[in-house]
Amino acid sequence: MGEVDRARLKVALSRHYAAQRSEAAGADMDALVTAMLAEDARMCRADTRQAMGMPSFVAAQVRYIPAWTWAAQIACVAAMVWLACSVGDADPVRWVVGALSALSVLVCVPTLHASRRHGVAELEYSCCFDATGVLVARLVVMGCSCSLVVALMVAGTSAATGLGALDVALWACPPYFLSCAGSLALMRRVRPDVAAVACFAWAALCCGALLMLGHACPDAYAASSLGTWAFAAALALAWLVREAALTVRSAAAGLDSFAPQLANTYN
């Protein structure tokens, strides 16, 4: 190919690509403007959600609770009401309502320590609502959910057996508070891979203690013992409040405190 032909080809290609660029530029510009407008709208919605603060974040955490958690809680309520309807106000009902209240806490454990179990605590610390915010939100969601379950078991048992709602609540609250407090303490201290087993063992211990109490003290569920149950509930609630505060404080202290096993892998 001669120099003249090569120059003509170069000019022709230059004109061709220039025309292509000008046509593509118009299309790209339209797409760019559309994308920018969509992103602006998305950011405005994000700013609105962020302006709502912690309540909206807590509500958003409900979407991340596994469906089996709600199913298990409903099953606890159904089992308690069925038993109460079947046996009436017999002695086993008094023990079972406390045992099921303690066991209902176990369905909350996987959600509450999911950040450490899945090794994403470090990632959460880099977010707007960090690991502390996530933990507090899940404590609120699961605490309210589990408390509602216990309240429904108490109400269902009272309605089915004719027992006083206050009496049933006092029998249910101490093991429930103890199970909650012990589970929080264990999740903070043991390795994430054994936390669920440790919490199950603690809940089983609470149930066994209730059964032994019923056999050793025939009057434990009598009306004369309600003051003792109230005192036990107050002590257990105080322990629960302390453990909840320590759990949140541990998360606020940073990764070394909240998930030391994960932090050690980076050191």
Side-chain angles (χ1 to χ4, degrees):
M1 181 182 291
E3 293 295 334
V4 175
D5 292 336
R6 186 173 298 166
R8 287 176 181 174
L9 179 59
K10 183 176 180 180
V11 171
L13 287 174
S14 298
R15 288 175 179 174
H16 172 73
Y17 288 126
Q20 292 289 327
R21 284 197 299 270
S22 62
E23 292 176 2
D28 291 344
M29 184 60 68
D30 291 340
L32 179 60
V33 170
T34 301
M36 290 177 67
L37 290 174
E39 180 65 13
D40 182 67
R42 189 187 70 81
M43 290 302 297
C44 288
R45 291 193 299 270
D47 290 341
T48 300
R49 289 194 298 268
Q50 186 172 351
M52 294 179 184
M54 192 65 180
S56 62
F57 180 70
V58 172
Q61 287 297 308
V62 176
R63 295 180 299 170
Y64 301 103
I65 307 300
W68 69 263
T69 301
W70 313 121
Q73 291 183 333
I74 293 172
C76 286
V77 176
M80 188 66 243
V81 173
W82 175 81
L83 179 66
C85 291
S86 299
V87 303
D89 62 348
D91 289 340
V93 170
R94 294 162 169 78
W95 171 77
V96 172
V97 69
L100 276 180
S101 297
L103 291 175
S104 68
V105 176
L106 295 177
V107 301
C108 304
V109 172
T111 296
L112 289 178
H113 85 296
S115 298
R116 286 172 290 187
R117 182 164 54 93
H118 295 298
V120 297
E122 184 185 28
L123 178 62
E124 289 180 349
Y125 275 110
S126 65
C127 300
C128 177
F129 288 101
D130 61 6
T132 306
V134 172
L135 177 64
V136 170
R138 289 177 179 173
L139 281 172
V140 171
V141 171
M142 300 312 301
C144 291
S145 175
C146 208
S147 297
L148 177 61
V149 167
V150 174
L152 290 175
M153 285 196 291
V154 169
T157 302
S158 177
T161 61
L163 295 168
L166 178 61
D167 296 7
V168 180
L170 289 176
W171 299 332
C173 284
Y176 170 63
F177 292 151
L178 286 173
S179 183
C180 287
S183 295
L184 288 177
L186 288 170
M187 282 189 287
R188 196 175 67 253
R189 290 180 171 89
V190 303
R191 298 197 319 271
D193 56 329
V194 298
V197 176
C199 292
F200 178 82
W202 171 252
L205 181 63
C206 292
C207 294
L210 282 177
L211 182 60
M212 292 177 60
L213 178 65
H215 282 293
C217 304
D219 295 331
Y221 291 96
S224 58
S225 301
L226 291 179
T228 302
W229 284 102
F231 181 70
L235 290 180
L237 179 59
W239 184 31
L240 172 57
V241 171
R242 180 179 182 275
E243 289 300 331
L246 289 175
T247 299
V248 174
R249 189 182 305 170
S250 174
L255 188 65
D256 289 338
S257 176
F258 183 58
Q261 295 83 6
L262 181 61
N264 290 336
T265 62
Y266 298 103
N267 294 332

